[in-house]
DNA sequence: TACACATTGTGTAATATGTACACGAACCTT
DNA sequence: AAGGTTCGTGTACATATTACACAATGTGTA
């Protein structure tokens, strides 16, 4: 493995969302630093997955690299949600301690580019164990201790997600290739914090010709088995309309 | 005036849109460099309004500063549309010449944060004359010579604008405080490259309770005078709904 | 083997929104 | 007074939104 030179004042942070068919979760990294002499814990909190960019890679590649390292997956849905350059971004005392400790090209002034990542939980759950990374319910983030301005970045990402989900079919990135309509409905409810009428929701989905029923049904469930559906990006691209819709 | 230290590898570029009641325009800076000896023109093209950020300012401030210098206006609508860090962003031979010439902290590797700015033409037209800055119709940008990757950035901004205009009432930033419904319609048509039926457009506006008729009418026009309207952000904030609307 | 349990899948009526389409009214100019 | 120009308006039809309840299908278990 080649060792890359990092760009000290530019970094990328990824807010990785996942859906477990019940609620929305976010992938966070545990950060812990102990005093070398007495073993006392100096820092214990959580951070987003992020790192400085390398001299020889662009922003998107840096984000992909970080996600690959974390989840083992390529081809994850990734989209910028903003760039952040406030002067006090990394100025908390404990953050300075941290940077002195890892001593890897820290600059006072860091601009970070935030990436929103959506991943299909069913494809990664295995590979997280061996790292200090795990899923946390989005609803619990408010109570958590987080490093730097990462709590702020998280909420920025969440807002961006909620905005985009209303306008683009990106929610499907959070589901497996096959899903039931109830799963889709629960996902939208989790994303937007609302609830929908089942019949009306399905009527709406019926208009989305890119959500296509399969011949497969659920198996081994203790109730009437649900039909599986598929999201077709091709059909979506071919049939999308654009409306002005910011009314009222 | 204090001289600030710049951050050599981070810059901000502003894509400034304006509307002249006929078409959409963009503010571009003429860039010209002549050979010192023979006066031959080495470079002649256009750039977006942009510059490196200073050590002691954040990204939004840098963008505001640049716009203030260009237009004399504060409080311009400003929103990020993306961060760009491709390795070849500034690598064209003429761009290297340019950077050697101005010799101000050029780094091979520059990340630029793109800002979309919307301005009310009626408030600035005067102050542009004394600088090498002017309005160009958006439709003509495709044929223009532009520096760096600024043509690409321009189209990124235009796409972001077209996306946002459908979902948020930001078009009003391009109009004066008082406007007629025909002006509003022409603006949307210019923004989206479509045309609307007059009666249906007005029916739609009638549902937007935040577009409020005034008692004033147009004066001195050689036809039936139009009523003026006003955009109220307060009413908008209080009455907005959020729908899922990416259907078909 | 039949009953309980859990979740799926479906229809209708009332209201609201979207779309296609044409002409008289108000003001200025000559 | 007549001509030019843009403003402002209504109706009929199709589509979309909302509110609301119950039978069908599979598993588990008594």
């Amino acid at each position: 493995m080649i060792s890359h030179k990092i760009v000290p004042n530019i970094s990328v942070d990824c807010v990785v969302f996942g859906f477990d068919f019940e609620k929305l979760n976010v992938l966070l990294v545990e950060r812990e630093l102990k005093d070398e002499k007495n073993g006392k814990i100096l820092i214990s909190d959580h951070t987003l997955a992020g790192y400085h960019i390398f001299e020889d890679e662009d922003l998107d590649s840096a984000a992909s690299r970080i996600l690959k390292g974390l989840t083992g997956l390529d081809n994850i849905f990734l989209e910028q949600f903003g760039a952040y350059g406030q002067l006090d971004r990394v100025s908390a005392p404990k953050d300075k301690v941290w940077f002195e400790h890892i001593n890897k090209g820290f600059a006072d002034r860091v601009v970070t580019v935030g990436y929103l990542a959506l991943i299909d939980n069913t494809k990664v759950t295995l590979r997280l164990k061996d790292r200090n990374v795990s899923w946390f319910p989005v609803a619990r983030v408010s109570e958590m201790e987080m490093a730097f301005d990462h709590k702020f970045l998280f909420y920025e990402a969440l807002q961006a997600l909620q905005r985009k989900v209303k306008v683009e079919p990106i929610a499907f990135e959070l589901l497996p290739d096959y899903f039931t309509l109830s799963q889709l409905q629960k996902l939208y409810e989790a994303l937007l914090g609302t609830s929908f009428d089942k019949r009306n929701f399905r009527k709406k989905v019926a208009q989305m010709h890119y959500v296509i029923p399969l011949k497969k049904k659920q198996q081994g469930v203790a109730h009437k088995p649900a039909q599986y559906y598929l999201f077709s990006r091709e059909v979506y691209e071919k049939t999308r309309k654009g409306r002005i819709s910011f009314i009222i």
Side-chain angles (χ1 to χ4, degrees), chain A:
Chain A
M1 176 147 178
I2 313 159
S3 116
H4 298 268
K5 250 180 114 176
I6 65 170
V7 179
N9 63 344
I10 302 175
S11 70
V12 151
D13 284 306
C14 300
V15 183
V16 186
F17 289 97
F19 178 62
D20 60 10
F21 300 114
E22 283 298 328
K23 58 193 176 333
L24 202 59
N25 300 301
V26 62
L27 212 53
L28 298 178
V29 182
E30 281 172 58
R31 176 174 82 149
E32 193 159 272
L33 179 62
K34 287 180 183 161
D35 191 297
E36 284 166 15
K37 297 162 204 163
N38 58 19
K40 219 174 145 188
I41 293 172
L42 295 173
I43 302 176
S44 171
D45 56 16
H46 300 268
T47 72
L48 298 173
Y51 199 60
H52 293 277
I53 65 171
F54 295 145
E55 292 275 11
D56 59 355
E57 75 185 342
D58 63 34
L59 298 167
D60 289 5
S61 315
S64 297
R65 164 177 57 81
I66 289 165
L67 284 178
K68 171 90 179 189
L70 220 65
T71 65
L73 295 180
D74 285 310
N75 297 329
I76 290 176
F77 175 92
L78 255 183
E79 215 170 88
Q80 286 182 14
F81 63 85
Y84 300 87
Q86 280 71 31
L87 296 171
D88 58 353
R89 283 199 58 240
V90 294
S91 59
K94 64 177 185 182
D95 296 332
K96 287 188 179 151
V97 170
W98 175 258
F99 275 116
E100 271 164 33
H101 174 73
I102 63 168
N103 190 29
K104 280 180 182 165
F106 173 53
D108 285 337
R109 181 60 193 290
V110 178
V111 167
T112 200
V113 177
Y115 276 84
L116 173 63
L118 302 180
I119 88 182
D120 168 4
N121 253 3
T122 62
K123 290 195 180 131
V124 279
T125 28
L126 319 165
R127 314 200 36 162
L128 300 175
K129 294 276 161 57
D130 42 14
R131 302 174 173 266
N132 48 350
V133 172
S134 36
W135 292 107
F136 294 85
V138 159
R140 296 247 182 84
V141 171
S142 63
E143 316 147 8
M144 292 180 62
E145 275 295 308
M146 290 187 70
F148 320 116
D149 58 351
H150 284 193
K151 196 182 273 196
F152 171 74
L153 293 183
F154 165 77
Y155 281 108
E156 289 275 301
L158 183 59
Q159 277 179 38
L161 176 57
Q162 291 180 330
R163 231 181 300 122
K164 287 185 177 178
V165 132
K166 290 181 194 161
V167 162
E168 284 173 74
I170 58 173
F172 301 98
E173 305 289 340
L174 290 161
L175 289 173
D177 300 345
Y178 302 40
F179 51 86
T180 70
L181 295 186
S182 296
Q183 289 168 348
L184 185 63
Q185 180 173 348
K186 261 189 199 144
L187 171 56
Y188 272 97
E189 290 173 342
L191 282 166
L192 300 174
T194 52
S195 73
F196 300 105
D197 174 80
K198 202 211 288 195
R199 278 174 292 188
N200 292 341
F201 183 84
R202 289 160 112 95
K203 228 181 291 178
K204 194 136 190 163
V205 173
Q207 299 166 237
M208 309 179 189
H209 301 304
Y210 49 85
V211 179
I212 300 168
L214 299 175
K215 281 164 196 165
K216 269 182 119 173
K217 286 186 173 191
Q218 271 182 329
Q219 289 187 343
V221 288
H223 53 77
K224 180 169 175 179
Q227 177 136 192
Y228 281 115
Y229 287 76
L230 172 72
F231 166 65
S232 162
R233 180 160 297 279
E234 282 165 78
V235 177
Y236 172 71
E237 298 293 354
K238 279 178 193 157
T239 57
R240 90 243 257 3
K241 277 185 201 164
R243 293 204 196 148
I244 302 186
S245 68
F246 57 86
I247 291 159
I248 288 197

